[in-house]
Amino acid sequence: MRDRRDANRRRLRKGLADNGKPAPIEFVKQGSYAMKTMLQHPQNDYDIDDGVYFRKDDLVGSRGAAMSALDARWMVRDALDDGSFNDAPEVRPNCVRVFYAAGFHVDVPVYRRVDTNGSYSYELASGAGWRRSDARDVTAWFDRELNASGQTYLLRRLVRHVKKFARSRSSWSGRILSGFGITVLVVENRHLDVARDDRAVHETMRAIKQRLDWNLVVSHPVTPGDTITSGDSDGKASFLRSKLDEALGWMEPLFEADCTREKALSCWDKVYNTDFFSARYKEERAAAFACRVGIGSAALMALEAPTAAAVVGAGGGRHA
């Protein structure tokens, strides 16, 4: 993915130059890649977000007027489309998407830098026009939360665990809250347990579900007045809530007095739609059995050794 991102940057610079368009002033990685909460997906259904930034004064049309947000996205799309893709890059409401045959994609949000007497601000070319935004603010917010938690690695891992649950069924794709929305909810409702990932995941899921019970609106952490969800009856947030409720039901056996390790692992198999945990249990059992057999053989040999020594000592060495 990193190689594709870097190739995209080279392709975009060349395409802009060939088309007589302004050169970008910088590229900024963003999203889960920048926050180090990216997931691998068995069908490669994941992406890298790589923002491209221009000077506002450079983004002008053929008649000298400022480019609209849509014009800027089309400019970037046309520069990226060098004919080498099976599926041409596509203009999306908040980015240009580049598709790859392996299944993943690179999203390229387009920004302009506004210079006000030497003070810079940034605007995203969104579907609603130029909107105040800078991807670095989101990454900085997440870094602050990591530092405030005192458990940087644990919080990152917890975000990945909950995101992985939300991506555990292909039928949920497009129906459940975005990875960014889930990240915000995990940060808001985190339960960090340095000894028990399972307990941390359960308690965080429970807290998120309870939070969504009373409010489905997820506010953007750095853009005042903006939300990640759409309204107080957001379908994707509601879908996440219902699936968390199901998962909490699947985990109920964990709290039964007679819960065995095998039963507990089967609960997590159900939560994550996998056989990973039960397979590990079977491997452990097989290894333990092999160990017992090995110990038994070693003990038998230890018992046989004195007998053999006695035979040799009695003059029966030729027959031993």
Side-chain angles (χ1 to χ4, degrees):
M1 291 295 291
R2 200 162 41 234
D3 290 343
R4 300 300 193 282
R5 179 203 66 185
D6 293 342
N8 246 16
R9 291 179 176 183
R10 292 190 295 270
R11 182 182 294 110
L12 179 54
R13 287 186 184 278
K14 182 179 185 303
L16 289 168
D18 290 347
N19 295 342
K21 301 299 182 181
I25 55 176
E26 63 179 329
F27 294 89
V28 177
K29 64 183 180 181
Q30 60 187 73
S32 59
Y33 180 72
M35 293 188 284
K36 300 182 177 67
T37 59
M38 193 173 177
L39 300 176
Q40 293 186 358
H41 190 280
Q43 282 79 46
N44 290 332
D45 184 14
Y46 48 73
D47 64 87
I48 279 184
D49 298 308
D50 193 37
V52 57
Y53 289 69
F54 298 89
R55 294 181 186 86
K56 178 182 177 181
D57 293 342
D58 291 342
L59 294 180
V60 294
S62 57
R63 299 183 180 180
M67 272 190 198
S68 70
L70 180 59
D71 288 340
R73 297 200 305 279
W74 271 103
M75 176 189 74
V76 168
R77 193 224 76 90
D78 291 344
L80 286 168
D81 189 8
D82 61 358
S84 62
F85 297 105
N86 292 333
D87 296 309
E90 193 174 280
V91 172
R92 293 292 180 101
N94 291 313
C95 68
V96 175
R97 179 162 293 178
V98 181
F99 301 92
Y100 289 89
F104 51 80
H105 56 271
V106 174
D107 283 342
V108 185
V110 182
Y111 296 86
R112 66 182 185 184
R113 188 180 73 185
V114 181
D115 186 348
T116 307
N117 300 322
S119 177
Y120 296 141
S121 60
Y122 299 87
E123 296 174 341
L124 170 68
S126 75
W130 290 106
R131 179 169 58 85
R132 181 75 174 264
S133 178
D134 185 7
R136 286 169 290 205
D137 293 342
V138 173
T139 306
W141 159 79
F142 189 64
D143 287 342
R144 287 194 300 270
E145 293 292 338
L146 290 174
N147 293 331
S149 74
Q151 299 289 345
T152 298
Y153 181 63
L154 287 178
L155 181 52
R156 273 206 179 98
R157 194 166 69 219
L158 185 56
V159 170
R160 294 191 199 111
H161 286 327
V162 180
K163 284 175 60 179
K164 185 64 176 178
F165 161 71
R167 305 290 175 262
S168 61
R169 276 84 170 165
S170 59
S171 61
W172 296 359
S173 180
R175 303 170 66 193
I176 203 162
L177 192 62
S178 68
F180 181 41
I182 290 170
T183 299
V184 172
L185 287 171
V186 171
V187 167
E188 285 181 2
N189 301 277
R190 61 183 178 259
H191 178 98
L192 300 177
D193 190 315
V194 295
R196 297 281 299 269
D197 270 24
D198 56 349
R199 186 154 44 207
V201 170
H202 177 271
E203 291 303 305
T204 300
M205 285 184 170
R206 184 171 63 86
I208 292 173
K209 193 267 177 184
Q210 290 174 345
R211 185 261 197 237
L212 293 174
D213 279 341
W214 63 267
N215 188 1
L216 289 174
V217 176
V218 181
S219 297
H220 197 287
V222 299
T223 306
D226 197 6
T227 60
I228 298 167
T229 50
S230 48
D232 56 7
S233 58
D234 184 86
K236 293 183 177 182
S238 177
F239 189 83
L240 172 63
R241 179 179 61 188
S242 70
K243 296 309 171 186
L244 286 172
D245 191 45
E246 288 182 21
L248 291 168
W250 297 334
M251 287 186 271
E252 284 181 2
L254 296 172
F255 302 94
E256 296 173 355
D258 62 346
C259 183
T260 63
R261 176 171 172 77
E262 184 176 16
K263 185 187 290 186
L265 292 173
S266 69
C267 289
W268 290 109
D269 274 347
K270 195 163 187 178
V271 170
Y272 285 101
N273 190 32
T274 182
D275 63 357
F276 171 80
F277 299 98
S278 294
R280 285 187 64 186
Y281 177 76
K282 291 175 183 176
E283 289 172 4
E284 290 170 0
R285 297 274 293 178
F289 177 75
C291 183
R292 285 197 297 272
V293 171
I295 291 172
S297 299
L300 180 61
M301 290 176 66
L303 288 171
E304 289 175 345
T307 304
V311 171
V312 172
R318 286 186 301 243
H319 306 288

